[in-house]
Amino acid sequence: MAFKSASRPNRSHAISPACVAAPVELKTGKPRREEVITGSPDNNITDYIYEKMGADLHRQADHPIGIIKQAIYDYFEARNPGLFVKFDDRFPIVSTRANFDEVLVPADHISRSPNDTYYVDASTVLRCHTSAHQAETLRAGHAAFLVTGDVYRRDSIDATHYPVFHQMEGVRVFSEADWTAAGLSPTQLAEQDLKAALEGLAKHLFGDVECRWIDAYFPFTDPSFELEIFFKGKWLEVLGCGVMEQRILDDNYKPGHKAWAFGLGLERLAMVLFDVPDIRLFWSNDDRFLKQFGAGDLTARFKPYSKFPACYKDMAFWVSPEFSENNLCELVRSIGGDLVEEVTCIDTFTNKKTGRTSNCYRIVYRSMERSLTDEEINALQERVRKEVAEVLKVELR
Ligand code: PHE
């Protein structure tokens, strides 16, 4: 995940924090196409991505993503009745200021790269995390809140990565009376309550699972942690969290407070809880998938109804200096849509004499809903080859 990284972008034109947009008003609903695909030279959003907007899987009570959201709501409601205010309809188009600057993401942080983030224009993005709403919600005076929404990231393609997914952000602010009553330092109280709340959440969702805390790095928290749970024989990362950077609180709330924050991925939790093997299934309209889940039911386990055969195609090309795997995946998605299951580099070598590097990528095509014909896959692959050569300026071999 991009935010864990303290590294720098691999592109030179990081967005300067000085270039700050007027705050986007509190809008809701599905954005219009012109609001997303703007014609700005910085725009890197395809129709494939636009078509995913407004689906609001997290607002459907009997969809696995909506079921998980509600289960987390219920848990926090039982733990701290009436405390957390909930938002789940914040507009997904936000300023770079909200998405990055206000949560202290450094000007040269890798997550700002147009290789990783969808830009509407130079100062506006599709939020790449729900942390984009921390500062504005604190400014509105809320001391405890949960913000759920769809988030967008350019990434590789496999069974657990999809360019749109859902996160829930949690924030809780403490005041002096709280840490005095607890007999703890402000940071101790925040850290202790955070860990207790999230371990309790893991047990609420997964039963009596083993949990462990891993030290982590995020620009917006210090100290920072990741929670892992032991599930089906392996340790699995389920969320990032930490004690909120004091500056965020001081700049947007009131001085003299302390807070914790967490961000969790709903798909990750739903895949584990409901045994969903491929993240694309959440976007399927197939009743054979949707009918297996019901509002409030955490006991459902996905029963695969079929696995249609996969078909793979390899393509090798000499890469150009600007080549990036995320750009390749974006292009393949824009042609093959949800038929693309995985894109992996299966071979790479550098010619000693010319210094040129060749990559061979395998594209796996499979439908979740039907059998694909050879003609249809060949036609898709032909288009992929043509556009890879034209758009990515690489030389096919
Ligand atoms: N925004 C982080 C991410 O998307 C998660 C996070 C939220 C971590 C809040 C710490 C605190 O990876």
Side-chain angles (χ1 to χ4, degrees), residues 290-356:
L290 296 171
K291 285 264 162 65
Q292 296 196 27
F293 306 95
D297 181 9
L298 296 184
T299 66
R301 297 293 175 266
F302 174 65
K303 288 178 235 31
Y305 35 83
S306 64
K307 195 139 158 99
F308 292 99
C311 167
Y312 67 82
K313 298 281 173 192
D314 294 344
M315 65 189 294
F317 48 81
W318 298 106
V319 302
S320 56
E322 315 83 60
F323 174 77
S324 91
E325 196 168 299
N326 283 1
N327 286 345
L328 172 68
C329 288
E330 194 66 26
L331 196 148
V332 174
R333 281 260 204 233
S334 75
I335 297 168
D338 286 356
L339 299 181
V340 182
E341 178 164 287
E342 193 165 338
V343 176
T344 15
C345 187
I346 54 170
D347 187 38
T348 179
F349 73 89
T350 303
N351 181 309
K352 291 241 172 58
K353 275 196 206 121
T354 63
R356 292 172 93 197

Side-chain angles (χ1 to χ4, degrees), residues 22-27 91:
V24 179
E25 338 130 39
L26 280 187
K27 279 206 252 184
F91 207 51

Side-chain angles (χ1 to χ4, degrees), residues 1 3-4 128-131 134 153 167 169-170 218 220-221 240-242 261-264:
M1 240 192 274
F3 288 104
K4 286 158 50 168
C128 59
H129 55 168
T130 43
S131 303
Q134 277 190 15
R153 289 187 196 173
Q167 282 191 327
E169 194 83 2
F218 297 105
F220 20 88
T221 46
C241 64
F262 68 78
L264 51 81

Side-chain angles (χ1 to χ4, degrees), residues 79-155:
R79 183 173 192 264
N80 306 104
L83 183 66
F84 288 88
V85 182
K86 295 143 186 122
F87 302 93
D88 71 355
D89 63 351
R90 289 287 173 84
F91 207 51
I93 302 178
V94 302
S95 63
T96 51
R97 179 192 175 90
N99 199 75
F100 300 123
D101 305 327
E102 289 183 338
V103 281
L104 314 182
V105 176
D108 56 359
H109 191 268
I110 185 155
S111 64
R112 295 192 187 237
S113 154
N115 192 52
D116 287 39
T117 290
Y118 290 104
Y119 278 84
V120 170
D121 58 38
S123 58
T124 316
V125 297
L126 304 186
R127 67 182 159 218
C128 59
H129 55 168
T130 43
S131 303
H133 300 290
Q134 277 190 15
E136 68 181 18
T137 312
L138 287 168
R139 283 198 297 274
H142 297 291
F145 52 87
L146 302 171
V147 182
T148 313
D150 38 339
V151 300
Y152 298 78
R153 289 187 196 173
R154 298 180 95 240
D155 213 333

Side-chain angles (χ1 to χ4, degrees), residues 9-25:
N10 50 8
R11 292 274 210 106
S12 52
H13 64 295
I15 310 299
S16 140
C19 117
V20 148
V24 179
E25 338 130 39

